[in-house]
Amino acid sequence: MTSESSRPGVAVVTGASRGVGRGVAEALGAAGMTVYVTGRSTEPGMAHLGDVPLAGTIGEAAQAVTDAGGQGIAVHCDHADDAQVQALFERIRREQGRLDILVNNAICIDDSLIEPGPFWSKPLAQADMFGVGLRSNYVAAHCAAPLLLQGGQGLVVFTSSYGAGCYMHGPAYGAQKAGCDKMAADMAVDFGGTGVAALSLWLGVQRTERTHIAAQRTPAYSDFLARSEGPCFVGEVIHALWRDPELAQLSGQTLIAAELGQRYGIRDEGGREPPTWRAMLGAPRPFHPARVG
């Protein structure tokens, strides 16, 4: 562990208006970090799930970071717009001069994601996950890399899913998650020896407004929700990873958040230990170590 890691640190969490992103940002704030929270929701109800307006704005998320003990900074950013993403990291360069953690969480999810039926019966909009969710992650990491390298010890995290290894919500969702895992592995090769790590995290079912609505509409989700993870738990795991003196050895891997919680002794709300779904849904597959080019 370098002396740099004694600092509270600076982080970016994309797609942090609500849900996983907001919880991760809040947990990093509780660790004292300065957290830039990005998203498009500047007013309540701007996002919807079907006809149900979703709560949460980037301003509220930033305030939650500050209330937790850090410094939350809200930045309106459409991650489909490369220029806005570039402007975000240029602002961080001016204001902070460095970056310690990038959490790539922004994704465009169509309302039909959990509906039954084959992919051709669902809206083509599901393919938007390849834009905001995969390409956008690459763009954010590309813009963040110089700042991460400047700090001497940094971390890029992709929020992924068991859907990268099993059938879950159809081919668009699975390909997006599998792409995140491969992107993390390949970025880790390029970051090798720099002190910056890249990895992908398989999250369990998250306790968010979206999943509560899904559980009401799809009874099968109720059981999963009863054994779900809180987004703040994921944020605590990410912070522990950044502080881990063995982070370099973990770089490039796809890891299961619940298992990392066990490794670091992190518990969820109420002292719960979120379960791993490895036995039911599969385990991350290692990539071949060959390097070409």
Side-chain angles (χ1 to χ4, degrees):
M1 184 70 65
T2 69
S3 60
E4 294 295 313
S5 64
S6 61
R7 305 174 309 190
V10 179
V12 172
V13 183
T14 71
S17 300
R18 63 187 63 81
V20 174
R22 174 169 172 161
V24 168
E26 185 176 343
L28 296 178
M33 298 192 80
T34 296
V35 185
Y36 287 77
V37 297
T38 75
R40 295 181 299 170
S41 294
T42 55
E43 299 291 337
M46 289 182 67
H48 290 75
L49 179 55
D51 57 356
V52 179
L54 297 174
T57 67
I58 52 173
E60 292 168 350
Q63 188 60 52
V65 170
T66 301
D67 291 344
Q71 180 184 5
I73 301 173
V75 181
H76 178 268
C77 182
D78 182 348
H79 283 271
D81 186 332
D82 294 354
Q84 291 188 35
V85 178
Q86 292 167 349
L88 162 69
F89 289 98
E90 176 58 27
R91 174 179 172 178
I92 295 169
R93 185 196 65 77
R94 294 194 309 270
E95 295 178 354
Q96 308 295 336
R98 74 180 199 277
L99 180 65
D100 298 293
I101 300 175
L102 167 63
V103 181
N104 270 321
N105 177 70
I107 185 171
C108 182
I109 297 179
D110 186 74
D111 290 349
S112 66
L113 182 68
I114 64 171
E115 296 298 322
F119 73 92
W120 59 85
S121 70
K122 299 180 181 181
L124 191 56
Q126 286 209 5
D128 291 345
M129 285 185 282
F130 303 142
V132 178
L134 193 56
R135 185 184 186 280
S136 63
N137 288 348
Y138 183 91
V139 173
H142 187 276
C143 294
L147 286 167
L148 290 162
L149 292 167
Q150 188 168 333
Q153 178 177 332
L155 174 62
V156 179
V157 174
F158 296 80
T159 56
S160 187
S161 162
Y162 292 86
C166 70
Y167 183 93
M168 184 180 290
H169 306 322
Y173 181 83
Q176 187 269 328
K177 295 305 181 186
C180 286
D181 295 354
K182 186 61 164 65
M183 197 178 293
D186 287 357
M187 285 184 179
V189 172
D190 287 348
F191 279 129
T194 67
V196 178
L199 52 84
S200 195
L201 282 187
W202 281 11
L203 312 186
V205 176
Q206 298 293 297
R207 287 194 303 278
T208 67
E209 188 178 8
R210 280 183 178 273
T211 52
H212 279 288
I213 295 172
Q216 293 171 0
R217 296 179 176 180
T218 309
Y221 267 76
S222 297
D223 179 59
F224 284 106
L225 195 58
R227 293 179 282 172
S228 60
E229 300 168 359
C232 285
F233 167 81
V234 178
E236 291 180 33
V237 166
I238 290 172
H239 186 262
L241 276 167
W242 177 59
R243 300 275 299 181
D244 192 333
E246 298 179 1
L247 178 59
Q249 285 69 53
L250 298 175
S251 187
Q253 297 184 42
T254 297
L255 304 170
I256 295 174
E259 295 176 1
L260 287 170
Q262 296 170 8
R263 170 182 174 134
Y264 297 125
I266 298 170
R267 296 294 182 110
D268 204 348
E269 298 172 10
R272 295 174 60 254
E273 185 176 283
T276 175
W277 297 94
R278 176 186 290 264
M280 179 182 292
L281 301 178
R285 298 179 178 88
F287 295 105
H288 196 279
R291 300 182 181 182
V292 180

